[in-house]
Amino acid sequence: GLSAGGEDELRQRLEATRARLNKAIADIRRLNGHQRFLVQPDFRDVAAIVAKAGPVAYLAVTAAGSLTLLVANPVGPPNADGTIWPAAECVPEPAEPLTSEALGSLLIDRDGDTVTGGYLPAQMAMTDSTSGFTQALEELLPSLGERLIAPLAEKLSADQRDSVAVVACGLLGLLPLHAATYRRDGELCCLLDDFAVSYVPSARVLDAARSAPSAQPGLAPVLAGVGDPAGAEPLPFARAEMKDIS
């Protein structure tokens, strides 16, 4: 362990580092537009962003089940003063919700200490073969859809929403939630079939991304795309579509 003198020196170094960090944050907050830099947001901040940007869905899984919190403008007319203030609503879970244990098995399937399959190992092995990844997706997407995404899609449809920004918490951020499949009126579909889906790490980042183009009006739009993805089965017409829209 450290001696008394060593502990005092380490404490002083930590305090000095913390003071420099606090000064840097204070300096940034003095810049125009950065007054709330690293300030913990509250619901009023999130609601103000949603009022402009549209619905935001927070998705998480726990040992007991899943949580989908939808923050959106209310359905119906505005308030008497003409304002619209978003509200948060917990989307009901399905009969068999996705748990953190079930998600872990979908990501990495194990037999004891031996990895036997799962989405992540199959993804890492795609340079050798895509068959394992295809098989992993066939198992992953329906499970995600029926146990997590279907209730969100049903709620968005009932409220006549046409878009949603997804904040996927924890390991959910590794997954193609927009492509998760579920049954709607007997037909197989996914979230992207009915809604414009975007991913953001937080509502504050969503607001910053929406504000960036207006802050730099002189910049021309830029498109980055993959027109001929590698793989055993090239995507038909991908190159022609990229050429047409570029």
Side-chain angles (χ1 to χ4, degrees):
L2 292 173
S3 64
E7 290 181 356
D8 289 341
E9 180 183 356
L10 180 59
R11 186 180 301 108
Q12 291 173 4
R13 291 171 61 186
L14 287 173
E15 290 175 352
T17 300
R18 186 177 295 110
R20 290 197 298 270
L21 175 61
N22 290 338
K23 182 180 182 303
I25 293 173
D27 290 342
I28 292 173
R29 287 177 180 169
R30 281 193 286 269
L31 298 175
N32 184 34
H34 293 75
Q35 289 79 5
R36 292 182 56 79
F37 178 72
L38 289 185
V39 174
Q40 190 73 18
D42 56 24
F43 181 73
R44 290 173 298 178
D45 297 315
V46 175
I49 294 168
V50 169
K52 299 180 294 181
V56 174
Y58 295 83
L59 278 68
V61 295
T62 70
S66 61
L67 170 67
T68 300
L69 187 67
L70 181 64
V71 185
N73 291 326
V75 178
N79 300 327
D81 60 0
T83 61
I84 297 177
W85 195 244
E89 183 175 353
C90 190
V91 177
E93 287 184 310
E96 186 184 3
L98 186 68
T99 64
S100 52
E101 181 180 0
L103 175 61
S105 296
L106 289 170
L107 290 173
I108 303 178
D109 194 16
R110 290 185 172 91
D111 183 6
D113 293 332
T114 304
V115 175
T116 57
Y119 173 76
L120 294 182
Q123 190 179 49
M124 294 176 65
M126 280 190 66
T127 52
D128 299 323
S129 172
T130 60
S131 60
F133 185 65
T134 300
Q135 183 178 348
L137 283 177
E138 290 175 351
E139 179 182 359
L140 172 78
L141 296 180
S143 185
L144 280 178
E146 297 296 343
R147 302 175 69 177
L148 182 68
I149 299 301
L152 173 61
E154 184 178 350
K155 175 61 177 172
L156 291 170
S157 294
D159 292 348
Q160 298 183 332
R161 314 289 185 185
D162 57 9
S163 67
V164 63
V166 174
V167 180
C169 302
L171 295 175
L172 289 176
L174 300 172
L175 301 174
L177 302 178
H178 60 284
T181 54
Y182 50 89
R183 292 284 174 180
R184 183 194 61 208
D185 299 329
E187 295 186 0
L188 196 65
C189 59
C190 67
L191 199 63
L192 201 58
D193 288 332
D194 297 315
F195 311 99
V197 183
S198 57
Y199 290 91
V200 291
S202 68
R204 183 171 285 177
V205 173
L206 173 62
D207 188 45
R210 284 172 50 84
S211 302
S214 60
Q216 299 175 332
L219 295 180
V222 176
L223 170 68
V226 179
D228 194 9
E233 298 180 6
L235 190 62
F237 307 113
R239 178 175 293 185
E241 289 178 3
M242 284 295 301
K243 184 177 180 180
D244 187 55
I245 64 177
S246 62

